[in-house]
């Protein structure tokens, strides 16, 4: 298998929203975890990942675990 290593991965993936906040957060967090797992395999050392997610306490836990691999995590919330 040939290794593929990217400098940057951008994900605009979003689960289908139900309007039920807790359900949507769970679906979003599951998707975020899958995207992070895939990025570990595809990014060069020092590579960057940009993704969107619903802000939640669970997401903060995901970020803390991800800091073991990524050097830095930044959150950005666009104006609504």
């Amino acid at each position: 298998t040939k290794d593929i290593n990217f400098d940057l991965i951008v994900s605009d993936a979003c689960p289908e929203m139900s309007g039920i906040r807790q359900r949507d957060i769970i679906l979003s967090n599951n998707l975020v975890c899958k995207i992070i797992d895939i990025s570990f395999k595809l990014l060069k050392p020092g590579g960057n990942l940009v993704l969107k997610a619903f802000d939640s306490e669970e997401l903060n836990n995901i970020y803390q675990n991800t800091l073991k691999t990524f050097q830095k995590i930044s959150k950005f919330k666009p104006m609504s």
Side-chain angles (χ1 to χ4, degrees), residues 8-77:
L8 171 68
I9 296 174
V10 178
S11 171
D12 191 36
C14 181
E16 187 173 338
M17 297 291 99
S18 67
I20 302 169
R21 181 170 170 73
Q22 194 58 36
R23 178 184 183 276
D24 293 343
I25 287 172
I26 291 168
L27 291 173
S28 176
N29 288 343
N30 289 342
L31 186 57
V32 165
C33 289
K34 289 177 184 177
I35 293 165
I36 290 170
D37 287 343
I38 291 168
S39 72
F40 288 158
K41 297 171 188 162
L42 298 178
L43 283 172
K44 290 180 182 177
N48 296 289
L49 169 63
V50 177
L51 56 82
K52 67 178 177 181
F54 288 107
D55 196 20
S56 67
E57 186 61 38
E58 295 86 2
L59 185 62
N60 291 331
N61 294 334
I62 293 168
Y63 286 163
Q64 289 303 314
N65 289 331
T66 304
L67 278 173
K68 297 172 187 171
T69 303
F70 286 96
Q71 295 175 352
K72 178 178 137 184
I73 293 178
S74 300
K75 289 185 186 180
F76 171 76
K77 182 176 179 179

